[in-house]
Amino acid sequence: MSQPTPRSGATPYALTIRRILEHPVADDPGQEIVYRDLRRHTYADLRERVHRLADALTALGVKPGDTVGVMDHDSHRYLEAFFAVPMMGAVLHTINVRLSPEQILFSIEHAEDDVLLVHADFLPILEAIRGRIDVVKRFVVLSDDGARPPATVPFAGEYEALLAAAPARFDFPDVDEDARATTFYTTGTTGLPKGVSFTHRQLVLHTLSVATVLGSAHHASFRRGDVYMPITPMFHVHAWGLPYVATLLGVKQVYPGRYAPDALLALIQREGVTFSHCVPTILHMLLRASGAERADLTRWKVLVGGAALSRPLARLALERGVDVVTGYGMSETCPVLTVAFLDPEDLAADLDRQAELRTRTGRALPLVDLRVADEHLGEVARDGRSTGEIVVRAPWLTDGYVKDARATEKLWAGGVLHTGDVAWRDARGFVKITDRLKDVIKVGGEWLSSLELEDVVAAHPAVAEVAVIGRPDDKWGERPLALVVARPGAEARVTPRELHHHVHAYVQKGLLPKQVAVLEVKRVEAIDKTSVGKVNKRALREKHG
Ligand code: AMP
C-alpha cells in the first residue's frame, strides 16, 4: 500500500481575487486599459490604482467585512473596485443603477453598504433617496472630468483626488478564500430584488473554468492577443465575470462608459476590439444602428447570453462577419454555466445550420454538473426532445439569497440549484432552453415553447421584434399571443393572416407543433424590457394577458 506523501511544509495558498491581478501585471505591465476616449493607462497603473483605492477606502473607515457600494458606468474605476474592495477583505456591492430609486434604496439598506461610490450622472437618484439611507457613512463622487458636483450630498471626496492623495502601496491582508467578495441584487420583475453573493474561491474557480472553455474554443475564442470590451453592465453578475478573465489573461481592456450605439461601434473600430459579450437586445441595437453597415465587424467575436439569441439575429450577425455564440447562466450562478461553441466539423455548415447551432444554449462548462431533470430530479432522455428543468451543481453557485432563508430553500431544493429554465438536451450534450418555467404556455394540455415560436415569427421580414406569451382561454386552457413590433414602413404586413401563413409553413415542415394554429397576433409599438434589457414577460402578461 502506498503511503501518503509527507507534507513538505508548504503553506496553504488561498484562491483569492488578488491572485488574478498579480500574474498579468508581472507578465506584461505595459498592457493597456482604455476608458472611452477619455483615458488610457497600463496594467502597472491598474495595480497602483488598486493599491491607492484600498488606501483611500481605508482612510474612509472601510474595514474587512464592510460593504462598498458602486454606482458607475462600465469604467476603469469599476475594474479597480472589482479588485481593491475584495482584496481588502471587504464586500463589493455592484448596484443596478437601472432599478427604480426605491429598489436601489432597498438594495443599499439590505446589503448594509458602509461607503458608496457614485458617478455624478446618478446624483439625481441619490438625491431622491438620500434622506432615507441609514447605513451609508461616507459618499464618494466619481466624475469623468474631476469636477466636484454641487454640494447637495456631503461627499468625502472625488475619486481621482482621493486616489492622488493616497499612498501608492497598500498592505493587503490575507483573506480567507471562503470570505464573501461580491454581492448584488437580481432584477426581479416584481416585488423586491433578491440579493446573491459570491466568495473569492467561487469567483476564482469561475474565472478559471470560463477562461479554459473560451480559450480552447475552435471559434469565438477569447485568449491572449484579443482586445476585450464588455457590453453587459458591470453591475450585473460582474459583467458575467469576464473582466476577471480578461485581467487574468492580461489582454487589452476597453471600458465603454454609458452604452450608445455609435460610441460603441467607434470604440470597436478604433481600439480594435475583438471580444465582447452582450444580451441579444444590445446586439440587435448595434447591428441595426445607423452607420453599422459601414463598420468592419469581421474581427469581432461576441458571446451572447442573458436571453435566448434568435436565429434571425444570429444569421444577421454571421452575415456581417461577426463570430457569434450563445452562453447561458443566471445571477445565482456567477453566472456562466454553458457555452454553445461549435465543433470544427460544424463550422463548415451553411449559415442556416450554423445559426441553429450557435443559438443552442450550449454545453456545460468544466466542473459544472448540469442535469435536465424531471420532477423527481431524474435526468430526462438526451434525445433532443424530452424537456425538464435545468438543475445544476458547480463550485461557484451562490449559497443562497442574502437574508432570505425561504427563497434559499426553494432555490436549493433537493441539494441542486433550480434554474427555473425548461430545456432539452441532445446526444452531443447540447442543451436548448425552450422556456422559463413561469413562462411556459400550455395549449390543450401540451407545452408549447414560446422561444421557438418567437424564433419563427422573428424570421418574417416585416417583424422587428416579437414576444410570445400565454393568454387564458376557455377552450384551450391557454392560447399563445404574439406581440409584434413591425419594421419601420412594414406595419401593414404585420397582420394575423400574414403571420399565420408564415407560421403554417413551419408546421407543414414539421418544425412547429400543430397547436400554433391557435396563435393570436397583436401589433404593438414596443415590448417591455427589464432593467438589463430582457423581455419582461410578466409585465406583458399583466398588460395583454
Ligand atoms: P438573470 O439572473 O437576470 O441573469 O437571468 C437569468 C435567466 O436568463 C436564466 O434563468 C434564463 O431564463 C435566461 N437566460 C440566460 N441566458 C439565456 C440563454 N442563452 N438562452 C435563454 N435564456 C437565457
Side-chain angles (χ1 to χ4, degrees):
M1 242 178 73
S2 65
Q3 295 294 316
T5 317
R7 291 290 306 257
S8 61
T11 50
Y13 189 88
L15 297 179
T16 56
I17 297 288
R18 186 174 170 179
R19 311 293 182 204
I20 296 175
L21 183 63
E22 275 164 359
H23 172 69
V25 174
D27 234 34
D28 187 1
Q31 181 62 277
E32 276 185 308
I33 293 174
V34 180
Y35 175 52
R36 297 174 45 193
D37 49 357
L38 296 177
R39 186 180 178 105
R40 63 182 63 231
H41 58 227
T42 66
Y43 270 55
D45 296 326
L46 165 67
R47 181 178 187 280
E48 184 182 317
R49 289 170 61 88
V50 165
H51 278 251
R52 287 180 184 275
L53 176 55
D55 268 311
L57 290 173
T58 302
L60 293 178
V62 175
K63 306 177 299 303
D66 284 356
T67 302
V68 177
V70 176
M71 296 171 74
D72 194 5
H73 303 292
D74 289 6
S75 70
H76 59 301
R77 294 174 297 250
Y78 225 137
L79 182 68
E80 288 149 17
F82 265 41
F83 285 98
V85 176
M87 281 166 63
M88 298 168 69
V91 182
L92 173 70
H93 174 198
T94 56
I95 298 173
N96 181 344
V97 290
R98 296 193 204 139
L99 292 178
S100 68
E102 287 306 311
Q103 289 180 319
I104 291 176
L105 171 67
F106 170 82
S107 72
I108 290 170
E109 291 290 296
H110 197 261
E112 300 179 36
D113 292 350
D114 296 283
V115 168
L116 213 51
L117 312 185
V118 185
H119 190 281
D121 285 356
F122 305 117
L123 277 182
I125 302 178
L126 183 60
E127 281 161 2
I129 59 176
R130 199 179 83 80
R132 286 178 292 150
I133 298 179
D134 289 328
V135 289
V136 177
K137 300 172 194 88
R138 311 299 287 271
F139 295 89
V140 173
V141 67
L142 319 176
S143 76
D144 290 336
D145 54 10
R148 256 187 106 120
T152 46
V153 178
F155 284 108
E158 187 275 324
Y159 187 86
E160 285 301 328
L162 289 176
L163 256 58
R169 181 113 213 118
F170 183 79
D171 196 12
F172 285 103
D174 284 333
V175 176
D176 186 335
E177 64 182 25
D178 293 322
R180 186 179 285 187
T182 60
T183 189
F184 60 91
Y185 285 71
T186 62
T187 52
T189 41
T190 58
L192 293 169
K194 288 202 217 70
V196 290
S197 68
F198 295 93
T199 65
H200 284 255
R201 178 185 164 82
Q202 289 171 330
L203 287 162
V204 169
L205 291 174
H206 178 268
T207 304
L208 291 176
S209 189
V210 172
T212 305
V213 85
L214 296 185
S216 57
H218 294 287
H219 71 106
S221 62
F222 184 34
R223 49 176 77 136
R224 286 197 171 195
D226 274 313
V227 177
Y228 168 69
M229 182 172 83
I231 327 182
T232 48
M234 295 175 86
F235 64 70
H236 189 54
V237 214
H238 335 102
W240 301 354
L242 269 300
Y244 287 127
V245 177
T247 307
L248 183 81
L249 294 175
V251 299
K252 174 175 166 184
Q253 306 186 42
V254 181
Y255 287 90
R258 185 200 295 275
Y259 298 167
D262 47 346
L264 291 167
L265 287 167
L267 277 173
I268 293 171
Q269 306 290 291
R270 199 172 58 239
E271 300 297 339
V273 172
T274 60
F275 187 87
S276 295
H277 45 87
C278 62
V279 292
T281 318
I282 296 274
L283 182 66
H284 187 265
M285 175 186 95
L286 284 176
L287 294 178
R288 292 272 176 221
S290 67
E293 64 290 342
R294 286 191 303 278
D296 177 7
L297 301 175
T298 55
R299 291 186 59 221
W300 197 37
K301 301 174 278 189
V302 187
L303 179 64
V304 179
L309 170 65
S310 72
R311 279 187 220 177
L313 182 55
R315 231 205 110 110
L316 176 66
L318 291 171
E319 282 163 4
R320 297 296 323 276
V322 179
D323 192 351
V324 72
V325 67
T326 297
Y328 158 65
M330 59 197 301
S331 301
E332 291 81 347
T333 63
C334 204
V336 189
L337 296 171
T338 72
V339 186
F341 285 123
L342 275 58
D343 291 330
E345 57 276 20
D346 301 322
L347 289 165
D350 64 28
L351 282 193
D352 277 333
R353 171 79 178 142
Q354 289 221 13
E356 194 244 311
L357 292 169
R358 289 169 190 250
T359 54
R360 290 188 177 186
T361 311
R363 287 188 282 210
L365 252 57
L367 306 187
V368 173
D369 170 11
L370 182 150
R371 223 179 305 157
V372 178
D374 59 26
E375 64 272 31
H376 308 296
L377 298 182
E379 184 155 18
V380 303
R382 295 189 180 197
D383 57 6
R385 271 181 302 119
S386 309
T387 54
E389 187 192 4
I390 299 179
V391 297
V392 281
R393 292 179 65 225
W396 52 78
L397 311 182
T398 191
D399 291 342
Y401 296 108
V402 178
K403 302 182 204 162
D404 191 342
R406 280 249 309 268
T408 298
E409 209 173 296
K410 216 168 135 212
L411 180 72
W412 277 104
V416 288
L417 186 145
H418 291 257
T419 63
D421 291 312
V422 179
W424 50 252
R425 195 182 219 178
D426 69 11
R428 287 169 71 188
F430 276 97
V431 171
K432 171 90 179 180
I433 294 181
T434 55
D435 253 312
R436 291 286 293 159
L437 266 180
K438 305 194 278 272
D439 299 335
V440 156
I441 305 171
K442 243 183 174 177
V443 185
E446 297 287 326
W447 278 9
L448 182 70
S449 164
S450 63
L451 295 181
E452 211 177 314
L453 192 47
E454 284 166 9
D455 238 24
V456 166
V457 175
H460 190 285
V463 173
E465 224 185 325
V466 56
V468 173
I469 57 169
R471 249 180 119 170
D473 183 87
D474 287 344
K475 181 167 175 201
W476 297 99
E478 263 186 324
R479 277 179 79 170
L481 166 66
L483 300 161
V484 182
V485 179
R487 285 254 171 91
E491 289 81 0
R493 291 181 61 203
V494 175
T495 62
R497 195 186 147 85
E498 170 76 25
L499 288 182
H500 269 137
H501 187 67
H502 170 76
V503 164
H504 188 63
Y506 287 77
V507 177
Q508 278 191 323
K509 284 190 229 153
L511 297 173
L512 278 180
K514 290 204 184 64
Q515 312 113 281
V516 300
V518 300
L519 176 72
E520 294 180 278
V521 176
K522 187 168 174 185
R523 196 156 66 71
V524 291
E525 292 305 315
I527 286 173
D528 296 61
K529 303 271 167 50
T530 67
S531 66
V532 286
K534 303 189 195 193
V535 173
N536 189 341
K537 293 215 170 166
R538 198 189 288 246
L540 292 176
R541 277 193 292 266
E542 274 164 20
K543 241 194 231 172
H544 305 281

